[in-house]
Amino acid sequence: MSNADRPRKYDAVLGSQQNIPRGALVLGGLAGVKQRWSSPVVESRIEALREAIKYGNKGLEFVLKGLQDDSEKVQYIAYILLKNCQESQEKSEINRALRAYLPYRLFTCIKTIKTGNKLTLNSTGTAIAYQKGKNIRVMNLDREETLYTIPKSAMREMYALCPDADILVRVKNSIHRNSPEIEIWDRGELKHSLYGHQLDITVIAIAPDGKILATGCEDGSIRLWQMATGKLLGNFSTHLIFGSHNSAVSHLAFSADGHTLVSTAQDSTIKLWDLRTRDRPYTLKLFSSYALLSPVGLILAAIAWQGKIQLWELNLEKKTNHAFCTFDDRTYSTSVLTFSPYGRILLSGGRDGKISFWDVYGRSQFHELSGHESAIDSLVLNSSGDRLISTDRGKVIKIWEVR
């Protein structure tokens, strides 16, 4: 804006013949914004931001500075103003500033939803599956609207949802120890029934693109399936691939690019499987109930013995690893982990119902959220990192963001 430095019609100006509006400051335009911004009073700096946003690119400089202010109140106003600007027009400078800013200290619970048993979130945090009565319901979280249902069976069931929530995978472990069945449902219609595992399936995971399903078994084997056709793509087991797990698989997680599968098992190992070559896995000798890779770079986060969180730097080409940090979370408490979109922040959910935020590179905890009354069993951050969905074993879903 070429006249951004000039007072506007209703700005109060020294020497002006206009009547001064009630509550006006003596200076107007960007000069007035600068004066208020330099004030030690939080309310004055907030008012400066509200005015600055009206003055185009020159005023935007003050709002960007607001993200670095000592006061969280000022940060909050700057964040909201920038989010509104981002929605109204594409500005690369605003987008970069919002990506660099960590809004988690400003998070509050904006919605609590009570559902049914066996809550299962999709990876984008837009939908959830759960048991209610005689059905399994898939619900859109924003609208709290049921998308479709499938009938509940008499088997011991577990579920997984594709990113778009159109596809639901159901595992049915037999109560009579017969071979388990895997079902793939498309918006309530059964498409495929898959067989192959001889013992109970203990864990399932879906690739980020929704095209591949991984299933882990009590006997340590892992199978890969094509979601669209139900075709078996791979079988990682001791009699086929050297270095496979030899006891029950406890967790599976795909990397962000879908090229690597991370598995943990009761044989006290973590294995990284290259899904392009499907060769012998890279193995870390560490007892872990839960492990996953950072979205960027080869940093592995794992829940180790006594609930401690360990971070490892990996170099798969040189076959080296280095444990560079251990977060001492509450003893035996940590149950689930997730990374922020760029891997700078690690979130952990505990059996005490608390959510902790850890700075991966600063190697410290910087924030904590409370509100759940029972153990947290899943955490999902959206792709922008500004919305968190958490579920607990008390059938409760909480949605957190900057109000």
Side-chain angles (χ1 to χ4, degrees):
M1 185 181 295
S2 58
N3 296 323
D5 288 312
R6 297 184 60 186
R8 295 191 175 193
K9 182 178 180 180
Y10 297 107
D11 288 332
V13 185
L14 287 174
S16 171
Q17 299 301 312
Q18 297 183 37
N19 293 325
I20 300 175
R22 180 180 295 179
L25 296 180
V26 176
L27 287 177
L30 278 179
V33 171
K34 290 178 182 178
Q35 183 190 55
R36 280 170 282 195
W37 179 248
S38 62
S39 171
V41 180
V42 168
E43 287 72 17
S44 294
R45 300 203 298 277
I46 288 175
E47 187 59 32
L49 296 183
R50 295 186 190 279
E51 286 298 312
I53 201 70
K54 303 174 185 177
Y55 290 95
N57 290 333
K58 289 189 176 181
L60 184 62
E61 295 176 8
F62 290 95
V63 186
L64 292 173
K65 290 178 182 177
L67 291 178
Q68 309 303 320
D69 196 86
D70 292 337
S71 168
E72 287 188 4
K73 290 183 179 180
V74 176
Q75 292 180 33
Y76 166 77
I77 295 298
Y79 182 81
I80 294 299
L81 290 171
L82 291 172
K83 289 288 286 187
N84 291 338
C85 285
Q86 184 189 41
E87 293 172 3
S88 63
Q89 53 186 307
E90 285 295 324
K91 290 188 176 182
S92 58
E93 189 175 7
I94 292 176
N95 293 336
R96 283 196 300 270
L98 289 174
R99 284 199 301 268
Y101 180 70
L102 303 177
Y104 308 122
R105 289 189 180 91
L106 307 179
F107 271 15
T108 58
C109 180
I110 65 164
K111 185 186 289 189
T112 298
I113 306 171
K114 183 81 171 180
T115 59
N117 295 315
K118 298 188 177 181
L119 303 183
T120 304
L121 280 167
N122 65 345
S123 61
T124 55
T126 58
I128 192 161
Y130 61 95
Q131 287 183 0
K132 191 75 170 180
K134 297 181 179 180
N135 293 314
I136 294 97
R137 299 181 184 181
V138 177
M139 183 180 76
N140 178 282
L141 279 179
D142 283 330
R143 301 190 301 271
E144 296 187 44
E145 171 185 278
T146 299
L147 301 175
Y148 56 91
T149 63
I150 67 173
K152 182 176 175 289
S153 76
M155 305 292 193
R156 292 175 291 115
E157 299 181 350
M158 67 177 70
Y159 320 107
L161 278 173
C162 277
D164 62 7
D166 286 344
I167 304 295
L168 179 140
V169 176
R170 173 167 68 180
V171 167
K172 296 194 296 186
N173 287 314
S174 173
I175 58 176
H176 301 296
R177 304 296 292 177
N178 295 327
S179 297
E181 179 183 3
I182 304 165
E183 296 177 342
I184 298 178
W185 295 76
D186 187 347
R187 296 194 65 82
E189 181 181 351
L190 180 61
K191 290 295 185 181
H192 308 290
S193 293
L194 315 177
Y195 302 89
H197 287 290
Q198 299 304 307
L199 299 179
D200 280 359
I201 294 171
T202 53
V203 63
I204 50 180
I206 296 176
D209 61 5
K211 295 181 179 180
I212 296 177
L213 168 70
T215 56
C217 184
E218 258 187 1
D219 60 10
S221 65
I222 298 171
R223 291 183 177 233
L224 301 175
W225 313 83
Q226 189 174 62
M227 295 282 282
T229 64
K231 178 183 178 182
L232 180 65
L233 300 176
N235 184 2
F236 304 151
S237 57
T238 53
H239 65 280
L240 291 176
I241 299 179
F242 185 78
S244 297
H245 289 296
N246 56 35
S247 63
V249 181
S250 53
H251 186 248
L252 293 171
F254 285 89
S255 61
D257 59 13
H259 294 157
T260 304
L261 180 68
V262 181
S263 62
T264 69
Q266 293 179 13
D267 57 10
S268 296
T269 64
I270 301 174
K271 296 185 184 293
L272 282 74
W273 306 85
D274 188 332
L275 301 186
R276 293 164 295 185
T277 64
R278 299 181 192 170
D279 292 334
R280 176 181 176 181
Y282 181 78
T283 300
L284 282 78
K285 294 182 179 180
L286 175 71
F287 172 82
S288 175
S289 59
Y290 199 105
L292 73 165
L293 283 171
S294 168
V296 290
L298 286 176
I299 294 179
L300 180 85
I303 301 175
W305 184 248
Q306 294 185 336
K308 293 182 179 180
I309 303 167
Q310 288 193 358
L311 298 180
W312 296 70
E313 286 182 335
L314 306 179
N315 188 323
L316 299 184
E317 292 183 2
K318 296 181 179 180
K319 305 295 183 184
T320 60
N321 60 74
H322 170 62
F324 69 91
C325 183
T326 298
F327 295 139
D328 289 320
D329 202 3
R330 295 165 295 279
T331 303
Y332 296 110
S333 177
T334 308
S335 55
V336 63
L337 302 171
T338 192
F339 277 102
S340 64
Y342 297 96
R344 179 179 171 186
I345 303 302
L346 178 70
L347 285 70
S348 65
R351 293 180 179 87
D352 57 2
K354 294 181 179 179
I355 302 168
S356 300
F357 294 78
W358 309 88
D359 187 335
V360 171
Y361 301 103
R363 306 183 183 185
S364 61
Q365 179 181 352
F366 68 90
H367 191 50
E368 185 176 86
L369 294 174
S370 301
H372 284 281
E373 296 181 358
S374 58
I376 294 172
D377 50 20
S378 61
L379 294 171
V380 173
L381 270 175
N382 67 354
S383 59
S384 302
D386 57 6
R387 181 183 174 96
L388 171 67
I389 298 91
S390 56
T391 71
D392 66 31
R393 295 177 190 172
K395 310 175 188 178
V396 170
I397 307 164
K398 287 186 178 290
I399 301 175
W400 313 77
E401 60 182 41
V402 181
R403 190 182 295 274

